[in-house]
Amino acid sequence: MAVKITKVLSTNSPSTKVINIKFDIGDFGDGIKKVEDTFTFAMSKDSSGVYKIGKDVEKFCGIKEVDVLKQISEGKDRPEDAIIYGLTNIMNGGKDIYMWVNGTRYQGMSKVNGPIPAMIEVLSHEATHLSKLILTRHIAKTKKLNLTNEEWVKYNYGAGAYNWPTNGDLNDKNKLIQVSDETFATLVGLVSQEIAPHFLKFSEKYNGR
């Protein structure tokens, strides 16, 4: 007899913080001098928590919630390994963006490497993805695109739909390179710095001490 997996398998509620950023990046040749946006940072006990931070999480990330719940029920979400460790993406119909971290998996990494090194690893990784989203939305604003729906997500930035602007050598012939490496690296650092205090607060019960 098949077992139907339902959402009652997990009552996991994530810790969340809506963060508003406004950074003076500097002038590195790409015209991106100031960056302003809002995103949600979240952490939860297991991989099911990511689906609770907003609507359309499953749609945009492509990972089925029912499959995650099934694997959690089978004991496959634990400190040594997890279905999802961190995730950064779009939600709420394209209106919002987020960064989420699996607290139990962080706990496992923190026991192996120490709380701060473990935080640096996952935070820098997810902040890289988040910075790409923020910069894409910044460029979308300059093009007067709608950030409250999927218009900015599907827009053709130079290489077809769903190919977003990226960083690199501005002299490159690749039309998608619209952000200098220095701008990108600066934003990753600033975003990580902004999230770090909230990460430390949320992770107190997971940090392996």
Side-chain angles (χ1 to χ4, degrees):
M1 180 178 176
V3 177
K4 184 178 180 181
I5 304 299
T6 65
K7 293 184 180 181
V8 298
L9 283 174
S10 176
T11 57
N12 181 22
S13 295
S15 301
T16 61
K17 175 68 178 180
V18 175
I19 299 175
N20 300 302
I21 59 166
K22 189 173 183 179
F23 298 136
D24 291 325
I25 298 294
D27 187 358
F28 298 110
D30 50 20
I32 303 172
K33 299 178 182 180
K34 296 180 184 293
V35 174
E36 184 175 359
D37 210 333
T38 299
F39 60 87
T40 297
F41 171 66
M43 185 178 291
S44 60
K45 181 181 178 182
D46 60 40
S47 296
S48 70
V50 69
Y51 299 97
K52 296 178 172 64
I53 61 177
K55 298 177 182 178
D56 302 328
V57 169
E58 178 178 300
K59 171 186 172 180
F60 287 109
C61 78
I63 305 170
K64 292 185 178 180
E65 183 179 9
V66 66
D67 292 341
V68 168
L69 290 170
K70 181 176 184 296
Q71 291 186 61
I72 290 171
S73 73
E74 295 170 350
K76 296 179 180 178
D77 207 79
R78 51 191 197 280
E80 298 76 23
D81 194 14
I83 302 145
I84 315 171
Y85 182 8
L87 192 62
T88 298
N89 215 318
I90 307 158
M91 61 182 179
N92 300 333
K95 177 177 177 289
D96 300 308
I97 56 178
Y98 67 88
M99 177 198 290
W100 167 88
V101 174
N102 184 324
T104 295
R105 182 67 182 110
Y106 165 73
Q107 182 181 48
M109 295 299 289
S110 139
K111 287 181 178 178
V112 172
N113 300 308
I116 299 302
M119 180 187 75
I120 291 172
E121 188 277 328
V122 68
L123 179 55
S124 61
H125 180 108
E126 296 302 328
T128 299
H129 293 305
L130 183 58
S131 295
K132 185 177 177 76
L133 281 171
I134 292 169
L135 286 165
T136 297
R137 284 162 62 86
H138 174 85
I139 291 169
K141 288 178 190 175
T142 67
K143 296 180 180 296
K144 310 297 183 185
L145 300 179
N146 193 334
L147 297 185
T148 65
N149 57 33
E150 293 184 55
E151 182 182 14
W152 71 273
V153 179
K154 299 177 180 179
Y155 182 77
N156 181 353
Y157 292 93
Y162 297 105
N163 289 292
W164 293 344
T166 190
N167 60 294
D169 185 348
L170 295 175
N171 295 318
D172 195 288
K173 294 181 180 180
N174 186 335
K175 293 181 180 179
L176 285 179
I177 297 179
Q178 301 173 29
V179 180
S180 74
D181 283 334
E182 196 65 31
T183 292
F184 187 72
T186 299
L187 185 60
V188 171
L190 290 171
V191 166
S192 299
Q193 179 177 261
E194 195 73 22
I195 295 172
H198 307 293
F199 191 112
L200 289 169
K201 180 179 179 181
F202 291 171
S203 67
E204 286 177 351
K205 56 186 175 182
Y206 302 119
N207 63 19
R209 289 178 177 174

